[in-house]
Amino acid sequence: MTTVRDALDSALVALIASGVDSPRLDAELLLADALGVDRAALYVEGDLRVEGPAARRFQGLVRRRAVAREPVAYLLGRQGFRRLELGVDARVLVPRPESELLVEAAVTALARGARVADVGTGSGAIALALADERPDLRVTGSDLSGEALAVARANGERLGLAVEWVVADGPPPGRFDAVVANLPYIASGERLAPEIARHEPALALYSGPDGLDAIRALVARSAGAVAWIALEHGSEHGAAVRALLRGAGWPRVRTERDLAGSERVTIAC
Ligand SMILES: C[S@@+](CC[C@H](N)C(=O)[O-])C[C@H]1O[C@@H](n2cnc3c(N)ncnc32)[C@H](O)[C@@H]1O
């Protein structure tokens, strides 16, 4: 029988030795999951013990995190995004906080009843957050990966949110007023943390020598077809994406920065 503190301490040793970024947070999330309690309960429920199947599950999760460097979100099978908890696994990118900027921009800017396509929807994070926060919008989520779309569809059904799901390369067929997209934007050959490089789908990450192939193709196909577009991109891509959008005919183009101060989302109308 082990106390919560002892279990966390031994997990910390393994996680620190393996070089993970947030060892204490990860250990707490995994232990809370193994025990079936909230993270706060680890500190307020003094009689919690780590034993039997919960202890074995915790050891297994810590091993997968420390040795295989599996992302915590895949180990838990869920990730928070805006007001939603999404199911995630290795078929989809783990939704990132930066992508909440795209949702914020669309929620603020789009007219009542607008038809909006989330291109490269992955887990459905952006499409589902839009449907949740702006039920008046008509939202379509599309992805080149049928496997990703199965995750998005399951999330939509579980959350009871109305989104149309379409497998498509680039924008889905049909007429839209707006496009939002967090497409892959890593340059091929760029070195990534093991959590990302080993476990997240390559189709969700890499996009040609400068990371802009997917964005370039989407801008070319959206020009003249939609009045408003918001694109997430790499911190070094701001100037290139603004030039692409201006060159394709959008008169008003601006870039928003993420919480780290990096250029992250460019919006054109
Ligand atoms: C960076 S992930 C983003 C997933 C999700 N939008 C999010 O923010 O969590 C990019 C997604 O785009 C999809 N994708 C890649 N190339 C695509 C293309 N040409 N057309 C449509 N989707 C594409 C990938 O399968 C992946 O799900």
Side-chain angles (χ1 to χ4, degrees):
M1 186 159 72
T2 310
T3 64
V4 163
R5 174 186 273 204
D6 287 345
L8 285 176
D9 284 349
S10 66
L12 270 177
V13 171
L15 294 172
I16 290 169
S18 80
V20 306
D21 276 346
S22 48
R24 173 158 292 278
L25 174 64
D26 292 7
E28 290 175 354
L29 289 169
L30 297 177
L31 182 56
D33 188 70
L35 291 170
V37 299
D38 286 341
R39 203 172 127 223
L42 299 177
Y43 296 100
V44 295
E45 288 185 23
D47 57 350
L48 271 183
R49 293 290 176 271
V50 187
E51 55 196 351
R56 286 191 289 282
R57 175 163 161 75
F58 181 54
Q59 283 160 6
L61 289 171
V62 171
R63 201 172 309 115
R64 287 168 64 187
R65 183 76 189 102
V67 179
R69 296 291 292 269
E70 289 184 55
V72 171
Y74 290 166
L75 294 172
L76 302 180
R78 59 182 189 273
Q79 174 72 18
F81 185 81
R82 300 286 285 190
R83 306 192 304 205
L84 306 176
E85 186 167 271
L86 300 162
V88 294
D89 61 32
R91 292 173 289 177
V92 294
L93 187 97
V94 177
R96 308 292 206 269
E98 301 89 278
S99 306
E100 300 197 6
L101 271 177
L102 276 178
V103 178
E104 192 65 48
V107 161
T108 313
L110 296 185
R112 219 182 145 65
R115 296 160 298 184
V116 52
D118 170 24
V119 181
T121 196
S123 62
I126 295 165
L128 289 165
L130 288 176
D132 177 44
E133 295 175 41
R134 285 283 309 271
D136 60 291
L137 297 175
R138 286 178 281 165
V139 185
T140 299
S142 69
D143 205 288
L144 182 54
S145 159
E147 288 199 320
L149 216 59
V151 176
R153 186 175 281 114
N155 277 320
E157 281 169 11
R158 186 175 45 78
L159 294 165
L161 291 167
V163 171
E164 187 183 355
W165 304 110
V166 180
V167 174
D169 182 350
R175 289 174 60 81
F176 294 94
D177 303 299
V179 161
V180 291
N182 174 23
L183 284 164
Y185 55 73
I186 309 289
S188 42
E190 191 172 321
R191 275 177 66 90
L192 298 169
E195 285 79 359
I196 304 173
R198 286 188 211 156
H199 298 286
E200 296 198 278
L203 186 62
L205 300 173
Y206 301 104
S207 196
D210 62 357
L212 283 171
D213 281 5
I215 287 178
R216 241 183 242 112
L218 179 62
V219 169
R221 289 178 62 186
S222 302
V226 292
W228 189 94
I229 187 166
L231 302 169
E232 182 171 334
H233 50 73
S235 55
E236 73 288 8
H237 288 146
V241 174
R242 287 190 293 277
L244 275 175
L245 288 162
R246 287 194 184 109
W250 275 281
R252 282 182 292 154
V253 180
R254 70 188 162 85
T255 299
E256 296 203 350
R257 292 177 184 271
D258 62 22
L259 287 175
S262 303
E263 290 195 327
R264 186 61 62 191
V265 167
T266 295
I267 300 152
C269 54

